[in-house]
Amino acid sequence: MQQFQRRERPEKRETNQMVFGIRAVMEAIDSGREIESLFVQRGLSGTLFAEFKALIKEHNVAYQQVPIEKLNRITKKNHQGIIAVISPIIYQNIEDLLPVIYEKGETPLLLMLDGVTDVRNMGAIARTAECAGVHAIIVPKKGSAEINPDAIKTSAGALFKIPVCRHDSLSKTAKFLIDSGVQLVVSTEKTKESIYDVDYTGPSCVIMGAEDVGVSDDLIRISDKLAKIPMFGEIGSLNVSVSAAVVIYEAIRQRNID
């Protein structure tokens, strides 16, 4: 399988920079900084806050409304009810990336993570995906693991190398992939078909879900294939990072058969 030449990240920091104070956060957003998390105190109001809300809406920045006690636990400094965490990576857009993969004559192999919130699982999955030559990881803006120093460390730096695409709606992104000729393969126990029965040699996106609830029904309904990892022991389940590795390397095995 040909390797997609990944764009180098302009910054390779293993720390997340915290910015607090309404004007400081607005300046960070205006300057194009990638916001990993944004915490907003419940009940804020006023002219400046209205301006702030208009700005985050314009830049499509997701945020969480939280009690002031949570903000005070994060920092003892004067946060003015607003704290932003700057991401150590630059997120990409699969709608921009996929055409480039095709133009290079490569067969896309993508990985979508639906509800994977543990940062160490995220890091381990990214490490496997980068080693296997997966072209990109797709995650939702809400309900996904934060890319923080723990995730970076667990990934052995892979999160600086493999493109991570973050989108508002995984369902809409999945429909875009279908329209672009990409097969969607959901890893789930809700089927009799094995992962070894699926043909991954064409453009494919493997979808992994959270260990407790799995892949969402919306994605299952529109996917092309449902496939499960055969289990022979008594426990009957694998950690999601291990499951992702098993499926990815089956795809790699098929793509590298002479």
Side-chain angles (χ1 to χ4, degrees):
M1 182 180 69
Q2 288 182 303
Q3 293 276 332
F4 178 72
Q5 295 299 313
R6 298 178 178 84
R7 187 175 64 187
E8 289 295 325
R9 300 290 192 270
E11 291 187 336
K12 295 192 174 183
R13 297 177 295 116
E14 292 196 12
T15 58
N16 292 57
Q17 179 185 348
M18 189 167 62
V19 179
F20 45 85
I22 189 165
R23 289 200 179 278
V25 172
M26 290 174 69
E27 288 174 6
I29 295 171
D30 264 333
S31 69
R33 301 300 299 274
E34 196 79 60
I35 306 299
E36 182 67 38
S37 304
L38 177 61
F39 302 101
V40 177
Q41 180 184 330
R42 291 195 186 110
L44 286 185
S45 60
T47 303
L48 184 58
F49 182 65
E51 185 181 339
F52 171 79
K53 288 198 73 174
L55 181 67
I56 62 176
K57 182 177 181 180
E58 177 187 347
H59 289 269
N60 196 25
V61 178
Y63 67 96
Q64 301 176 49
Q65 287 189 310
V66 298
I68 191 171
E69 291 79 10
K70 176 165 184 173
L71 300 177
N72 291 339
R73 286 195 298 270
I74 296 173
T75 180
K76 297 184 182 301
K77 296 182 180 180
N78 182 20
H79 50 68
Q80 299 176 313
I82 307 287
I83 297 176
V85 179
I86 308 298
S87 175
I89 70 168
I90 297 175
Y91 288 102
Q92 299 189 43
N93 190 316
I94 194 62
E95 294 176 0
D96 299 327
L97 193 60
L98 188 59
V100 176
I101 299 170
Y102 278 127
E103 287 167 9
K104 289 180 174 289
E106 299 176 11
T107 302
L109 178 58
L110 310 171
L111 180 61
M112 181 180 288
L113 303 180
D114 179 22
V116 175
T117 57
D118 185 275
V119 295
R120 291 177 177 83
N121 279 336
M122 170 66 80
I125 290 169
R127 183 174 183 172
T128 297
E130 202 283 329
C131 288
V134 170
H135 290 99
I137 298 173
I138 303 168
V139 299
K141 279 192 174 180
K142 294 183 179 180
S144 181
E146 182 178 303
I147 305 300
N148 63 16
D150 282 340
I152 298 292
K153 182 177 180 181
T154 308
S155 79
L159 282 165
F160 289 132
K161 298 180 180 298
I162 187 169
V164 180
C165 303
R166 188 167 65 169
H167 293 272
D168 288 321
S169 169
L170 290 187
S171 294
K172 289 182 180 178
T173 303
K175 289 173 183 175
F176 163 77
L177 294 177
I178 292 170
D179 291 342
S180 302
V182 177
Q183 168 187 235
L184 304 184
V185 182
V186 170
S187 177
T188 176
E189 294 301 305
K190 301 176 182 178
T191 182
K192 293 182 179 180
E193 189 168 16
S194 165
I195 61 166
Y196 304 114
D197 298 326
V198 177
D199 182 355
Y200 303 91
T201 57
S204 301
C205 178
V206 174
I207 305 177
M208 308 296 302
E211 292 180 35
D212 52 348
V213 295
V215 176
S216 66
D217 289 339
D218 287 345
L219 288 174
I220 287 177
R221 275 193 293 268
I222 64 175
S223 292
D224 299 285
K225 296 285 185 180
L226 305 182
K228 67 178 181 179
I229 299 172
M231 299 288 174
F232 305 101
E234 294 183 10
I235 294 177
S237 66
L238 294 171
N239 173 277
V240 65
S241 66
V242 175
S243 296
V246 171
V247 181
I248 288 169
Y249 270 93
E250 170 57 18
I252 296 305
R253 184 193 68 80
Q254 290 185 16
R255 291 177 175 216
N256 286 277
I257 292 176
D258 293 333

